[in-house]
Amino acid sequence: MKLVVLSCLLAFAVAAPRPDGDAVTLVDDRTDDGDGNFQYRFETSNGIAEQRLGAPGSEGQSNMQGDFSFDLPDGNRFDLTYSADENGYKPNSAFIPTDHPLPAHVVELLAIVEDLVRQGATWNDKGERLTRRK
């Protein structure tokens, strides 16, 4: 009985529609000079696209810059541009979370703490104040 159920589940999984399973490559453009310089660009019929340009870096690494994009299930388009070099990987996208500005009361509390530190106040690792203002 377990074998029958497992076979049915496997049959359903294989027969399930795969919208991306029928995607075809629309653009595939590649060049590689063999000296570390390269570029490529591709696009598929399901909306996936990427392009990348690479060159040798000053410290032996590959420096790259490029972008990629694809359609999200909610209908939005995900776009990301990036560069990668001796200074690290730097992505840029509206989908990357960013720090929010601190609320005004937190900025005020941090200013109070800085003032106390300038006056010689110290705290232990539990946040308990050890010394008072001088």
Side-chain angles (χ1 to χ4, degrees), residues 21-78:
D22 298 324
V24 295
T25 302
L26 302 174
V27 174
D28 187 355
D29 183 22
R30 302 166 189 253
T31 58
D32 187 343
D33 298 339
D35 60 357
N37 291 294
F38 69 91
Q39 65 180 18
Y40 75 82
R41 181 173 71 97
F42 75 85
E43 294 178 28
T44 61
S45 61
N46 62 351
I48 298 171
E50 181 178 0
Q51 59 184 3
R52 184 178 304 181
L53 178 65
S58 62
E59 298 179 19
Q61 80 285 353
S62 259
N63 288 347
M64 295 182 222
Q65 60 185 21
D67 60 75
F68 62 88
S69 59
F70 53 88
D71 296 323
L72 296 169
D74 65 3
N76 287 319
R77 182 99 176 139
F78 179 89

Side-chain angles (χ1 to χ4, degrees), residues 69-133:
S69 59
F70 53 88
D71 296 323
L72 296 169
D74 65 3
N76 287 319
R77 182 99 176 139
F78 179 89
D79 294 302
L80 183 133
T81 59
Y82 63 90
S83 65
D85 54 25
E86 51 276 334
N87 298 313
Y89 177 71
K90 295 175 275 265
N92 183 17
S93 173
F95 287 90
I96 296 175
T98 58
D99 292 334
H100 295 284
L102 293 174
H105 71 279
V106 173
V107 173
E108 183 179 342
L109 289 171
L110 290 173
I112 291 170
V113 169
E114 286 178 11
D115 187 44
L116 289 171
V117 168
R118 276 194 298 274
Q119 295 176 26
T122 58
W123 293 264
N124 65 15
D125 60 350
K126 295 179 184 176
E128 300 165 336
R129 190 160 169 192
L130 298 176
T131 58
R132 298 286 173 199
R133 294 189 238 191

